[in-house]
Amino acid sequence: MEWTFSQEELPATAESFWQHYKGQHLFTLEGPMGAGKTTFVKALCAARGVEDATASPTFSIINEYVFRENGQEYTIYHLDLYRLKDEEEAIAAGVEDTIYRDRAISFVEWPDIINDLLPPDTVRLQLSVLPDKKRLLRAG
């Protein structure tokens, strides 16, 4: 699956993404610095009705957001592993706890150091910058 979108098309793209990946719970998000990974996660949170302010987890490593759906409370975890050195440091930071938590959705930026921890049903996303300032999101 793939989407091409501009900044203005981001909310509609987020809605389409959730329609396509209904029921999935773990996503990796790769792309160069400045590709818009955090911006995309913010749009996904907004589409799910997250009311908390969303921000980059670069320094906190893991951000947690809550949304309600059909009377149930769910959590979205946004992880940024860029500053971590290895899998052991990621485990100590609580990464394993978030990616395997029930009724939670996790988005993991810079996932290379935890590849061995990821289950086979992980959806791997690649975000690229196109010459016209649009973005290309590919799942593969």
Side-chain angles (χ1 to χ4, degrees):
M1 188 72 197
E2 70 178 45
W3 292 267
T4 300
F5 56 92
S6 65
Q7 183 71 29
E8 297 76 28
E9 297 166 322
L10 193 49
T13 303
E15 292 288 346
S16 176
F17 179 90
W18 285 126
Q19 290 294 321
H20 186 75
Y21 287 111
K22 196 172 198 136
Q24 292 294 122
H25 75 286
L26 181 55
F27 303 87
T28 61
L29 192 53
E30 298 183 63
M33 287 264 192
K37 296 179 293 293
T38 295
T39 301
F40 186 66
V41 173
K42 287 179 181 183
L44 292 170
C45 286
R48 274 291 170 88
V50 169
E51 295 178 6
D52 297 328
T54 55
S56 173
T58 300
F59 295 102
S60 61
I61 310 298
I62 302 170
N63 286 351
E64 180 178 339
Y65 307 109
V66 175
F67 69 96
R68 293 192 173 281
E69 190 173 87
N70 300 323
Q72 298 286 322
E73 190 173 272
Y74 297 90
T75 303
I76 294 176
Y77 291 105
H78 182 194
L79 298 81
D80 185 332
L81 309 183
Y82 182 77
R83 296 178 358 163
L84 300 183
K85 294 180 195 114
D86 54 32
E87 184 179 289
E88 186 176 307
E89 193 174 11
I91 291 169
V95 167
E96 206 170 20
D97 295 334
T98 63
I99 64 176
Y100 287 105
R101 184 155 292 159
D102 287 338
R103 293 187 356 178
I105 300 166
S106 294
F107 289 93
V108 183
E109 294 186 38
W110 308 101
D112 291 344
I113 65 168
I114 63 161
N115 275 331
D116 291 340
L117 299 176
L118 299 172
D121 64 343
T122 301
V123 177
R124 296 181 180 268
L125 304 170
Q126 178 72 40
L127 191 60
S128 305
V129 180
L130 300 177
D132 58 359
K133 295 187 181 181
K134 288 192 173 191
R135 300 299 192 257
L136 173 63
L137 179 70
R138 284 193 175 128

